[in-house]
Amino acid sequence: MKCLTSTMAMPCINDEKRETSDTCLWTRCRCLALCALMWGGISAFAQQTDSVSRWGVSLSAMKGNVVAADQYVKKWLKRGDNLSVALELLRAPLPKDSDDFAVDYGNPTFAFGLRYTFNNAVRLHREADADWGLLVPVPYESPLGNTLSLYTTFYRPLHRSRTWETAYSLSGGVGFSSSIYNKENAIDNEFIGSHVSIYFAAGLHQTLHLAPQWGLRASLEFVHHSNGALYRPNKGSNTVGASLTLLYTPYYEQTLRTAQTRCKKPFERGMYLNFTAGFGAKTLLEDWLLTQFGTPPDHPDYRTEHFRIYPAYSIQADLMWRHARRWSSGLGVDAFYGTYARRIEELDQQAGSTLRHSPFSLGLAAKHEAHYGRLSLAVSFGVYLYRRMGANAKINETPYYERIGLHYALPWLNGLTVGVNVKAHKTKADLTELVVGMPIRL
């Protein structure tokens, strides 16, 4: 209904706000009702599994805030408070049946979770600023959009007693966003550019065990969503918050029994070579900056939603030392080939730059892997020995790079590994790749 006078305008605005409020309230009620039903079903399953169940369940709520990672984001993040609820199915190996990896990690807990984040209050808007170049501000605030995340979590206990438990956690998974960057109603949402994103979270937790099977946990948590540079925009949303969790853990008292019913198998340390090939993809930050700030409003590509995806390739040759059952460390040489170098050269030539360009890059990296059974979390920190990626790379990249990935060792082909890596500069994603590795024991 269109308002014709200022007198009539107020009811229209109030009606819209009331409808939005009612919709948000109804969405939250449905989400909480679903969590309650799932809680009941999972609790019943946990109780029926066996007399000393290894399964549990948790329900949590987190009051958070989307934070600005740099001064650039501070200019257009106007409001960041959000709320999320999470339901987790817990699985705990017990001392009496733990494998050697579980013993080394202090009998950790694994979780399979679902988190729904209400970002209704988050608001993003660019106001007039000389730094925006040809960009023309819009007369509305962009929403971030709610997010549904599916993930797994590794809870590592640092201290356990009958009453108190202290732990940290690492999580990984996928997120699904209801609203993403678009020119119609979310043109200032530079956080999320694709409906599917990578989910990462970390937390510190303190649990009070009120009864043998029940606990109450207070946590400080960090939650990140981004698409790993597979599309634009890719600034990524970072939420920091405090959460409160109700836990049903029928296995907890069993985890306090540290006596093992069997001896750990002896572990043989040793050196090995690891050769890895990667196939990845990325979109260019250069294309994003050009269409956002260097393209006039009457051009079809002005603040476009469409970006070309470029293949990227890599190989790694590492010398690693498996110095413990759960850890290996070493040094490696990394080589990269970017098919996007030609596009960057074209853009630099248009801007009058005479810098040299090359699709090849070479780096030397320190590497570390944390193992649990056939799974491993790999991290590395490298320094470029050679890189020629144009003018933007000198401004927005660093002389060093980071890699983080999750790998799985296949039970055949001599432990051939497959996995996913994200390469970044100062934690800002450069590309995402699928990798295949071949370890050779020396």
Side-chain angles (χ1 to χ4, degrees):
M1 174 180 176
K2 184 175 180 181
C3 301
L4 301 179
T5 67
S6 59
T7 304
M8 296 173 64
M10 186 60 69
C12 293
I13 296 174
N14 288 341
D15 288 344
E16 291 177 358
K17 288 185 176 180
R18 189 181 303 113
E19 289 176 2
T20 302
S21 177
D22 291 345
T23 300
C24 295
L25 180 59
W26 175 236
T27 300
R28 295 185 185 188
C29 288
R30 285 186 297 176
C31 185
L32 291 174
L34 178 61
C35 287
L37 289 172
M38 294 179 69
W39 170 280
I42 294 173
S43 296
F45 167 76
Q47 290 175 341
Q48 295 173 8
T49 303
D50 53 37
S51 57
V52 182
S53 177
R54 293 163 178 80
W55 295 90
V57 64
S58 71
L59 180 64
S60 67
M62 182 175 82
K63 183 67 176 69
N65 194 67
V66 178
V67 297
D70 50 41
Q71 293 298 320
Y72 172 72
V73 176
K74 286 183 179 180
K75 288 186 175 185
W76 44 267
L77 175 57
K78 301 304 179 183
R79 184 178 177 185
D81 49 309
N82 64 10
L83 174 70
S84 68
V85 292
L87 182 68
E88 294 183 344
L89 178 63
L90 309 173
R91 176 65 163 84
L94 301 179
K96 69 176 184 179
D97 60 1
S98 291
D99 62 25
D100 294 333
F101 285 98
V103 174
D104 284 350
Y105 282 100
N107 296 304
T109 301
F110 296 90
F112 307 91
L114 181 151
R115 179 188 296 273
Y116 192 85
T117 304
F118 300 93
N119 289 312
N120 310 79
V122 179
R123 288 295 177 265
L124 317 164
H125 184 247
R126 295 183 189 273
E127 298 173 348
D129 193 304
D131 290 341
W132 303 152
L134 298 179
L135 182 147
V136 178
V138 295
Y140 67 87
E141 293 183 332
S142 297
L144 177 57
N146 296 341
T147 304
L148 175 68
S149 305
L150 303 176
Y151 60 90
T152 60
T153 298
F154 174 80
Y155 288 98
R156 167 71 158 93
L158 301 175
H159 167 76
R160 274 180 176 149
S161 69
R162 188 167 296 277
T163 305
W164 296 102
E165 181 182 15
T166 305
Y168 72 83
S169 67
L170 296 173
S171 305
V174 295
F176 305 91
S177 298
S178 61
S179 175
I180 63 174
Y181 172 83
N182 66 82
K183 295 172 66 172
E184 284 69 37
N185 57 25
I187 201 167
D188 289 328
N189 177 8
E190 193 172 334
F191 284 135
I192 302 296
S194 57
H195 286 290
V196 180
S197 60
I198 299 170
Y199 172 93
F200 170 78
L204 291 173
H205 314 278
Q206 185 65 53
T207 302
L208 170 63
H209 289 275
L210 305 168
Q213 296 184 341
W214 296 93
L216 193 63
R217 183 174 69 204
S219 308
L220 294 176
E221 299 188 70
F222 168 79
V223 176
H224 172 80
H225 289 93
S226 72
N227 57 38
L230 293 173
Y231 213 69
R232 297 287 165 179
N234 182 50
K235 198 65 179 175
S237 65
N238 298 299
T239 297
V240 177
S243 66
L244 193 62
T245 304
L246 178 63
L247 294 155
Y248 173 71
T249 54
Y251 53 79
Y252 183 69
E253 286 197 347
Q254 292 295 314
T255 65
L256 300 175
R257 301 177 185 178
T258 57
Q260 303 299 313
T261 58
R262 61 181 177 84
C263 296
K264 289 167 57 177
K265 296 178 181 178
F267 177 76
E268 183 180 351
R269 298 177 176 87
M271 306 287 291
Y272 66 97
L273 295 173
N274 194 48
F275 298 98
T276 306
F279 171 72
K282 66 173 289 180
T283 51
L284 291 180
L285 177 61
E286 288 85 351
D287 283 338
W288 168 259
L289 296 176
L290 175 63
T291 57
Q292 284 286 304
F293 310 122
T295 302
D298 58 351
H299 193 282
D301 289 335
Y302 173 71
R303 306 193 77 176
T304 183
E305 306 153 335
H306 307 292
F307 296 91
R308 180 178 175 183
I309 301 174
Y310 295 87
Y313 307 93
S314 70
I315 55 173
Q316 305 173 55
D318 310 324
L319 177 61
M320 304 292 290
W321 179 39
R322 188 71 178 265
H323 51 90
R325 192 187 315 275
R326 51 180 168 159
W327 290 326
S328 58
S329 305
L331 289 173
V333 176
D334 300 335
F336 308 94
Y337 183 85
T339 61
Y340 43 86
R342 177 70 67 181
R343 169 61 177 168
I344 294 175
E345 185 175 12
E346 291 175 359
L347 294 175
D348 282 353
Q349 287 176 350
Q350 293 172 13
S353 173
T354 58
L355 290 173
R356 295 176 57 192
H357 298 74
S358 173
F360 295 98
S361 298
L362 187 68
L364 181 66
K367 308 198 173 186
H368 182 76
E369 237 175 316
H371 303 268
Y372 193 108
R374 295 191 175 278
L375 285 173
S376 66
L377 177 68
V379 295
S380 67
F381 179 84
V383 177
Y384 287 116
L385 304 177
Y386 177 83
R387 187 165 176 83
R388 300 287 186 269
M389 277 296 170
N392 180 70
K394 290 187 172 296
I395 299 171
N396 290 300
E397 290 186 1
T398 56
Y400 56 88
Y401 59 93
E402 312 89 41
R403 249 195 183 125
I404 184 169
L406 186 64
H407 302 161
Y408 179 78
L410 300 174
W412 57 85
L413 297 177
N414 296 318
L416 184 81
T417 62
V418 295
V420 178
N421 286 345
V422 175
K423 175 176 171 278
H425 298 107
K426 202 161 59 176
T427 72
K428 297 177 182 177
D430 179 47
L431 59 87
T432 300
E433 60 182 352
L434 300 174
V435 294
V436 177
M438 174 61 74
I440 301 175
R441 191 173 183 85
L442 297 178

